């Protein structure tokens, strides 16, 4: 199912987490090799840098120019600034089932939807009764919990060199 919208309380908690990670980064000495490995393990399934990785999400060449604060926002709160091209689609089929993901392509009478794991599903347009577009990202909003602060710092350091 698509992620739930962020409540004001969740937004405040995310703002605090982002501020804390920015502060931690300013005092840290990132290990770029570890950061590269963190990217490969957590991000490369969907994002590509220098020709390596998947293309479900945005290509990240030049991402280092965004700066620390924007990268923290993009990673820890991926639903805050979602480009319209990467909005989440929820397809309802005639049988009542639903699929959600990023609309990767349209090939004639077929929509190609990619899920958070990068798996593509072809859905005939004739089987779709509704296509709901949500201004949310396919990217999981859980990296604040799933990545240790040190791994996050290393990832951030590595991304800033790209």
């Amino acid at each position: 199912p698509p992620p739930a919208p962020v409540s004001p309380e969740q937004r405040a908690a995310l703002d605090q987490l982002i501020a804390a990670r920015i502060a931690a980064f300013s005092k840290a000495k990132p290990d770029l090799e570890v950061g590269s490995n963190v990217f490969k393990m957590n991000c490369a399934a969907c994002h590509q840098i220098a020709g390596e990785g998947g293309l479900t999400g945005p290509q990240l060449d030049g991402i280092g120019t965004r700066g620390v604060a924007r990268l923290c926002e993009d990673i820890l709160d991926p639903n805050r600034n979602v480009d319209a091209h990467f909005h989440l689609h929820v397809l309802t089929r005639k049988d009542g089932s639903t699929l959600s993901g990023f609309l990767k392509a349209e090939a004639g009478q077929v929509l190609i939807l990619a899920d958070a794991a990068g798996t593509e599903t072809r859905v005939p347009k004739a089987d779709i009764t509704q296509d709901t577009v949500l201004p949310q990202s396919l990217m999981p909003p859980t990296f604040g919990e799933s990545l240790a602060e040190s791994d996050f710092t290393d990832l951030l350091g590595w991304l800033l060199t790209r």
Side-chain angles (χ1 to χ4, degrees):
V6 175
S7 71
E9 295 81 14
Q10 290 168 318
R11 171 70 60 223
L14 285 167
D15 287 343
Q16 286 180 331
L17 175 63
I18 290 166
R21 294 290 172 98
I22 291 170
F25 183 80
S26 70
K27 300 173 191 165
K29 184 170 171 103
D31 183 326
L32 302 185
E33 186 175 332
V34 171
S36 174
N37 289 331
V38 171
F39 179 83
K40 288 174 187 168
M41 296 296 296
N42 295 279
C43 313
C46 294
H47 296 285
Q48 188 177 98
I49 293 180
E52 292 189 27
L55 286 173
T56 301
Q59 188 172 0
L60 300 181
D61 289 323
I63 193 166
T65 62
R66 289 187 183 178
V68 174
R70 178 63 192 269
L71 282 177
C72 284
E73 266 187 17
D74 289 347
I75 296 167
L76 299 171
D77 189 6
N79 292 318
R80 188 175 294 209
N81 300 303
V82 183
D83 183 285
H85 182 72
F86 293 101
H87 283 175
L88 186 68
H89 285 250
V90 180
L91 303 180
T92 304
R93 295 195 257 187
K94 288 180 180 177
D95 66 5
S97 65
T98 60
L99 294 167
S100 63
F102 161 64
L103 185 60
K104 192 158 184 182
E106 191 171 336
Q109 293 301 308
V110 175
L111 297 182
I112 302 171
L113 204 66
D115 66 15
T119 304
E120 294 181 6
T121 303
R122 295 175 172 272
V123 184
K125 289 181 183 178
D127 290 351
I128 300 169
T129 60
Q130 187 173 3
D131 178 3
T132 305
V133 182
L134 303 173
Q136 293 175 295
S137 173
L138 186 59
M139 184 170 157
T142 56
F143 287 112
E145 298 88 35
S146 64
L147 286 181
E149 186 176 285
S150 61
D151 286 342
F152 183 83
T153 297
D154 295 337
L155 171 63
L156 201 56
W158 184 78
L159 289 172
L160 287 166
T161 67
R162 305 291 111 195

